[in-house]
Amino acid sequence: MEIIDGKTLAEKLQGRLKERVEKLKSQGIVPGLVVILLGENPASQVYVRNKERVAERLGFNSQVIRLPESTSQEELLSIIAEYNEDEHWHGILVQLPLPSHILEDEILLAIDPKKDVDGFHPENMGRLWSGNPRMIPSTPAGIMEMFAEYNVDLTGKNAVVIGRSNIVGKPIAQLMLEQNTTVTICHSRTKNLTQIASQADVLVVAIGRGKMINAEYVKEGAVVIDVGMNRDENGKLCGDVDFESISEKASLLTPVPGGVGPMTITMLMEQTVRVAESKGNKSE
């Protein structure tokens, strides 16, 4: 069994990104990423801090707008509108989840789809599903980079995705479909989940339940991608997959931490750089 080292791959890709940022700077363009964070959600605070660190390390113009949880929908929409109009900002990201009084769909819809580096705008989702992607959600984009780096040929393979969110489950299914994979999407109401999962050549798990998927769910020699980020009974980080039991059956397996997480942030940065490059090409 080989471990898919997301941390090392992320560092390698960030090295290439840094070169692209330097090239942009020589044209007088600095990639700009603004992250808007409402409230004090501890997990969101960590994610945002990590994004900020990577953006600064790559030489971005990075800004985090921290707002109180009581911020109104109108105030938030007004801030988004301001950054939509400002050409110095290439990526706009509103950290999810949002407080309950904010309508998430309306916020996602308000972001300029060309600056939607999270890839959650309905227009970008539609483009992905019609086979003409522009912005792709970062976690699925990172998983596809992992497949490429570890020479996982998806053509003709059976893949099972456990989880149907717009953030991971649906977009990764579509990206694998584009690579000629046969994809089954499972979820909390799926019957015979063990039986279905155990037939997968590639298993992507994004259900948010710590160590739920054990060796029974895994076919001998399968590639297993664990998107989960949970805390076990000792408060230690763990994935949705029981790493120990599955490591005896899988041919490739992502660890938690150090697997999918670093790739998610890297792909977010890559999309921001791509937007900045498109502006640079237009101004030449």
Side-chain angles (χ1 to χ4, degrees), residues 15-33:
R16 291 182 199 158
L17 276 179
K18 200 160 186 180
E19 290 171 13
R20 288 164 66 184
V21 172
E22 292 305 319
K23 190 178 174 190
L24 279 167
K25 284 183 171 176
S26 71
Q27 302 168 25
I29 298 166
V30 183
L33 175 65

Side-chain angles (χ1 to χ4, degrees), residues 6-283:
K7 192 166 182 284
T8 300
L9 176 56
E11 284 166 5
K12 176 174 152 184
L13 295 177
Q14 284 174 27
R16 291 182 199 158
L17 276 179
K18 200 160 186 180
E19 290 171 13
R20 288 164 66 184
V21 172
E22 292 305 319
K23 190 178 174 190
L24 279 167
K25 284 183 171 176
S26 71
Q27 302 168 25
I29 298 166
V30 183
L33 175 65
V34 60
V35 179
I36 303 168
L37 173 64
L38 270 69
E40 304 291 328
N41 180 309
S44 293
Q45 300 268 13
V46 172
Y47 291 144
V48 168
R49 205 159 46 242
N50 289 343
K51 286 166 187 169
E52 195 175 14
R53 280 198 201 114
V54 175
E56 285 170 1
R57 197 161 64 234
L58 294 175
F60 280 31
N61 183 10
S62 167
Q63 186 174 352
V64 176
I65 299 172
R66 290 180 168 84
L67 300 169
E69 191 165 331
S70 58
T71 302
S72 72
Q73 176 134 330
E74 289 67 33
E75 286 172 282
L76 182 52
L77 288 169
S78 161
I79 292 166
I80 292 168
E82 193 182 310
Y83 284 94
N84 278 343
E85 295 302 315
D86 191 334
E87 61 183 29
H88 295 101
W89 298 98
H90 304 100
I92 302 170
L93 190 155
V94 177
Q95 183 66 44
L96 303 178
L98 289 166
S100 56
H101 67 280
I102 304 274
L103 297 173
E104 191 176 288
D105 288 354
E106 286 193 23
I107 298 306
L108 295 178
L109 201 57
I111 298 169
D112 179 346
K114 293 186 178 70
K115 294 186 177 187
D116 165 43
V117 286
D118 249 343
F120 299 155
H121 190 288
E123 182 180 314
N124 288 325
M125 282 286 185
R127 288 181 68 124
L128 174 62
W129 279 96
S130 62
N132 182 27
R134 177 171 57 205
M135 298 293 195
I136 299 169
S138 309
T139 299
I143 293 169
M144 296 307 287
E145 285 289 337
M146 287 173 157
F147 289 148
E149 177 72 11
Y150 284 82
N151 301 311
V152 176
D153 180 8
L154 294 168
T155 302
K157 295 282 180 7
N158 282 323
V160 170
V161 177
I162 305 180
R164 53 179 165 180
S165 74
N166 289 335
I167 295 171
V168 181
K170 291 176 190 171
I172 190 61
Q174 171 59 7
L175 288 167
M176 289 194 290
L177 275 174
E178 289 290 318
Q179 296 290 319
N180 303 309
T181 315
T182 302
V183 184
T184 303
I185 301 178
C186 299
H187 44 78
S188 58
R189 304 289 175 87
T190 300
K191 292 177 179 172
N192 306 321
L193 180 59
T194 315
Q195 185 188 344
I196 295 166
S198 64
Q199 292 171 28
D201 304 308
V202 178
L203 183 63
V204 179
V205 187
I207 43 173
R209 290 174 64 186
K211 299 184 183 179
M212 176 185 156
I213 303 300
N214 58 32
E216 286 180 31
Y217 291 81
V218 178
K219 177 183 176 180
E220 194 75 45
V223 174
V224 181
I225 305 291
D226 186 355
V227 185
M229 188 68 81
N230 314 285
R231 297 267 174 196
D232 66 13
E233 59 280 5
N234 304 314
K236 197 177 162 197
L237 274 177
C238 68
D240 292 345
V241 159
D242 180 15
F243 189 90
E244 298 306 318
S245 71
I246 285 180
S247 60
E248 293 169 20
K249 291 181 88 173
S251 60
L252 280 167
L253 176 58
T254 58
V256 176
V260 173
M263 290 299 298
T264 296
I265 293 178
T266 303
M267 299 317 292
L268 180 74
M269 301 303 155
E270 197 278 334
Q271 298 209 116
T272 307
V273 170
R274 207 161 3 109
V275 178
E277 285 170 340
S278 72
K279 303 291 180 201
N281 294 336
K282 283 174 191 169
S283 62

